[in-house]
Amino acid sequence: LRGWQFVWVYDIECPNEIPSDYKAYRKQQRRWSCGPMQLWAAAREQVLASTLPPLHKAYLNIFFFGARMLATNIISFTFYSVLVPMTLVHYTQEADMEDSHHRFMPWWSIVWLPLLVTMSTMAFSPESFHFMILYVMFENAMSILKLGASLEGLFGLKGSMTWTVTQKLGANADRSLNISKLLKQISCFGKEMVCGLFLTGVA
């Protein structure tokens, strides 16, 4: 907004560390979904009032924040985790499948379109292609967390005010196998579990 330019330097490598476990990964993904929506809520009026060209303003508000940060999570949850599974269940319970097929949703939109999106996503990591089905189901189960965090950040709800740092173990990690310690660290995440069980049952 103040005329600064960002430059991506691709030849500089920086060591990084992934989250140590699922609980830390969950906090990271929640922060990454909530933070941009908080920024959008705080800065969208400044974007509109700035001296940026109209196309730049439209890109920031509509495409960068609206589509990429919010609509992606909405579609991922409502379409892939709710509408498509419920439609497939509806088809299996219909005696006249051809008629219901054309009454409700076209077959390409509930089968071929999700398959195409999945294949295009996995094309960037062909060595992990055999994890495709598990990856898609995991991401769809995670979509309920991401959507909730996005809405909390957008509307400034209480949950968006909680800011936790992702745990990183690094060189201080205890690599000994302690079963009792591992059992104490097991956590149950209700929303993801319900969504995952629903998708597994539909599949």
Side-chain angles (χ1 to χ4, degrees):
L1 297 180
R2 296 185 178 181
W4 295 2
Q5 298 293 324
F6 293 89
V7 178
W8 294 98
V9 183
Y10 296 97
D11 58 341
I12 296 180
E13 296 183 359
C14 177
N16 198 4
E17 184 182 3
I18 62 175
S20 57
D21 53 21
Y22 174 72
K23 188 175 182 179
Y25 174 78
R26 187 178 186 271
K27 291 179 180 179
Q28 179 198 67
Q29 294 300 308
R30 186 183 181 282
R31 187 172 67 246
W32 286 2
S33 299
C34 180
M37 291 298 98
Q38 288 179 306
L39 177 61
W40 190 26
R44 60 173 175 254
E45 293 184 0
Q46 297 180 29
V47 171
L48 293 175
S50 68
T51 58
L52 290 174
L55 288 179
H56 289 189
K57 295 179 182 180
Y59 169 77
L60 282 173
N61 278 322
I62 299 175
F63 295 103
F64 184 79
F65 286 110
R68 183 182 177 188
M69 299 297 179
L70 180 61
T72 301
N73 292 331
I74 294 176
I75 293 173
S76 179
F77 177 70
T78 58
F79 185 72
Y80 293 109
S81 299
V82 178
L83 187 58
V84 170
M86 291 299 293
T87 302
L88 291 175
V89 171
H90 172 74
Y91 283 165
T92 59
Q93 295 176 348
E94 283 286 338
D96 192 357
M97 295 184 64
E98 287 298 323
D99 291 341
S100 64
H101 169 87
H102 293 290
R103 282 201 310 267
F104 195 53
M105 284 183 68
W107 191 250
W108 62 265
S109 66
I110 64 171
V111 175
W112 300 116
L113 180 59
L115 183 61
L116 179 62
V117 173
T118 302
M119 297 290 286
S120 63
T121 302
M122 297 304 297
F124 294 98
S125 54
E127 66 278 359
S128 303
F129 195 79
H130 54 289
F131 293 120
M132 178 176 67
I133 295 177
L134 292 176
Y135 168 78
V136 171
M137 294 181 69
F138 173 76
E139 281 298 312
N140 286 342
M142 283 290 294
S143 65
I144 189 173
L145 171 73
K146 295 180 179 180
L147 177 59
S150 298
L151 295 178
E152 286 179 353
L154 182 63
F155 296 111
L157 302 181
K158 184 178 179 180
S160 64
M161 305 305 171
T162 303
W163 210 251
T164 54
V165 179
T166 305
Q167 180 183 4
K168 302 291 180 65
L169 297 182
N172 297 323
D174 182 8
R175 307 193 185 280
S176 61
L177 183 60
N178 189 330
I179 301 299
S180 60
K181 185 177 180 180
L182 291 176
L183 292 176
K184 291 180 181 179
Q185 293 177 348
I186 294 178
S187 302
C188 179
F189 303 100
K191 291 186 292 186
E192 294 95 312
M193 182 174 291
V194 170
C195 190
L197 290 175
F198 172 70
L199 293 174
T200 304
V202 172

